[in-house]
Amino acid sequence: MIAFRRELHRYPELSCEEEQTARRVATMLYEVGVDEVHESIGGHGIVALIHGQQPGPAVGLRADMDALPLQEATGLAHGSTHANVMHACGHDGHTAMLMGAALDLVKARPARGRVILIFQPAEELGTGAPAMIEDGLLERFPMDAVFGLHNWPGVEAGAFIIHEVPHMASSDDFVVCFHSEGGHGAMPHLTTDPIVAAGLFVTAAQQIVSRNVDPEDIAVVSLGSLQSGHASNIIPASARLKGTARCFKPDVRQRLERRIHEIAEGIARASGCEVTLNYVPSTPAVVNDTACARLCREVVEAHWGSDWLVSHPISMGADDMGFLLEAVPGAYGWIGNGNGNAAPALHQPDYDFNDDILEKGSDFLAGVARRFLDNNH
């Protein structure tokens, strides 16, 4: 697993470009000895099947494969060989853990049912899971439950966090653009000013969570980009803002979208500008099925003891595992990547997956699959 993980790390590929990664994964699956390998599902997605000794239920195990557009700064011998592309979220480790679980399940096949291994592309864009679903993943490979595991920096290496509440947020992106005819900075009365409109929007957007969301709910609206103009004495013709809206409940998600539209349109009318707004729903919240979450906790307790189950706050980060959990009961666990508070964070150029947790993560995935099949015969 270590050699395989480091090979993937050396040759990372961005979302929707995982051609060589998928090819390497498929080759390794054949070497492991799975019963079936299906390629090019929803792009570069791969599904492999492991049949149990007798017919029975089906359980899915999912890992993501894509990298991020970052220049690696770890200085490691197995560092990325591709400029401005690196595995800064541990998807190389997730893929290696699932491959290890595949080998385990082939060597000691479940008594009944089958295991469906899902190697998913394009998680970082939030498009990989829905693309595989739209390409017939759930119809071609029906499953009774689906599980996955994500590494978590800052948590003791090998400790598990299994939430029984929604624990990764829905994520929607939006682009607001205020338009005017533009004009001279010395004669603002002859035009309308999109920068003023953009400034009003920045301020008003911060009031959505504090004044339109129940204080008992959790939500965030953040603006990450504001682009307008080039000169000090020219009122530009447009001002463009980009942002993200995140929460955990579907009704709150709808409210955020509605209020962003209403505020943008109201400011445009008040300032005399035109406005265009492109609101793009991305990923739903990650919500574990209660029974599946408890099954995961039982696996940890049985293998390593309850001390290896730890608590951790939920995250406003997003993951398109949420699409699978909307369609199929299941659970998405976290495994500590180690190094305490000094651990490099996800999506940072100095991050690296901790090889010391590969075996434990692999054993967890295989154990979850076996326990689910045993409990649902």
Side-chain angles (χ1 to χ4, degrees):
M1 279 190 290
I2 292 173
F4 181 58
R5 200 283 294 185
R6 293 184 178 185
E7 178 186 348
L8 295 177
H9 192 92
R10 276 193 292 269
Y11 306 107
E13 293 176 299
L14 296 174
S15 302
C16 302
E17 300 177 9
E18 310 93 338
E19 182 178 356
Q20 297 301 320
T21 302
R23 186 172 301 163
R24 186 68 186 93
V25 167
T27 299
M28 182 64 81
L29 286 167
Y30 285 116
E31 294 175 5
V32 163
V34 300
D35 297 303
E36 301 176 34
V37 178
H38 302 265
E39 301 180 54
S40 302
I41 298 174
H44 296 301
I46 295 175
V47 172
L49 304 182
I50 300 172
H51 300 301
Q53 300 172 43
Q54 299 292 331
V59 60
L61 299 176
R62 172 267 197 182
D64 36 22
M65 303 187 295
D66 54 327
L68 283 160
L70 283 174
Q71 179 62 43
E72 182 161 348
T74 63
L76 295 168
H78 61 267
S80 172
T81 61
H82 297 167
N84 300 314
V85 185
M86 72 168 290
H87 275 293
C89 198
H91 296 186
D92 50 345
H94 303 165
T95 299
M97 288 190 296
L98 185 52
M99 192 65 71
L103 179 59
D104 187 340
L105 292 162
V106 166
K107 286 185 173 181
R109 290 179 178 273
R112 59 185 60 83
R114 67 176 183 170
V115 181
I116 301 166
L117 308 170
I118 305 163
F119 293 88
Q120 183 208 298
E123 188 282 322
E124 296 295 355
L125 295 181
T127 59
M132 292 189 76
I133 292 171
E134 290 167 11
D135 201 15
L137 172 67
L138 302 179
E139 291 77 24
R140 295 170 62 185
F141 313 101
M143 59 194 80
D144 299 290
V146 63
F147 298 88
L149 191 61
H150 198 297
N151 79 97
W152 214 253
V155 174
E156 181 181 1
F160 291 90
I161 303 107
I162 311 294
H163 291 96
E164 294 189 17
V165 297
H167 60 286
M168 299 186 81
S170 63
S171 175
D172 300 327
D173 296 327
F174 58 89
V175 179
V176 179
C177 191
F178 294 99
H179 307 273
S180 76
E181 295 180 355
H184 198 295
M187 294 170 279
H189 60 292
L190 299 179
T191 185
T192 54
D193 194 333
I195 291 182
V196 171
L200 292 170
F201 181 85
V202 169
T203 302
Q206 305 312 307
Q207 300 175 15
I208 296 174
V209 173
S210 67
R211 290 297 176 266
N212 302 129
V213 175
D214 189 321
E216 293 187 358
D217 292 327
I218 302 172
V220 65
V221 176
S222 290
L223 294 164
S225 173
L226 198 169
Q227 300 169 325
S228 184
H230 300 283
S232 63
N233 62 345
I234 299 174
I235 295 174
S238 66
R240 180 184 180 91
L241 305 101
K242 296 180 181 180
T244 184
R246 302 184 178 215
C247 62
F248 292 95
K249 294 183 178 179
D251 62 319
V252 176
R253 191 179 186 188
Q254 294 172 359
R255 190 176 309 133
L256 295 179
E257 179 178 4
R258 184 181 72 250
R259 288 298 292 142
I260 288 169
H261 276 275
E262 291 171 348
I263 289 170
E265 292 163 0
I267 287 173
R269 287 194 297 271
S271 63
C273 292
E274 299 292 327
V275 66
T276 56
L277 192 154
N278 184 24
Y279 199 94
V280 184
S282 181
T283 58
V286 175
V287 183
N288 287 346
D289 174 79
T290 300
C292 291
R294 289 175 180 169
L295 182 147
C296 291
R297 297 175 71 89
E298 291 169 2
V299 168
V300 175
E301 291 171 345
H303 280 69
W304 302 285
S306 59
D307 288 346
W308 286 99
L309 281 169
V310 300
S311 60
H312 194 276
I314 58 178
S315 171
M316 296 307 290
D319 194 296
D320 71 359
M321 180 72 174
F323 285 105
L324 291 172
L325 294 176
E326 274 191 331
V328 182
Y332 199 36
W334 297 347
I335 182 171
N337 201 52
N339 296 329
N341 294 330
L346 300 172
H347 291 219
Q348 296 301 308
D350 58 346
Y351 167 88
D352 189 38
F353 186 90
N354 186 350
D355 289 331
D356 290 342
I357 67 173
L358 283 170
E359 184 175 3
K360 204 167 190 180
S362 171
D363 289 347
F364 170 83
L365 291 170
V368 164
R370 286 198 176 92
R371 182 172 287 256
F372 180 85
L373 296 176
D374 288 343
N375 290 356
N376 292 274
H377 55 81

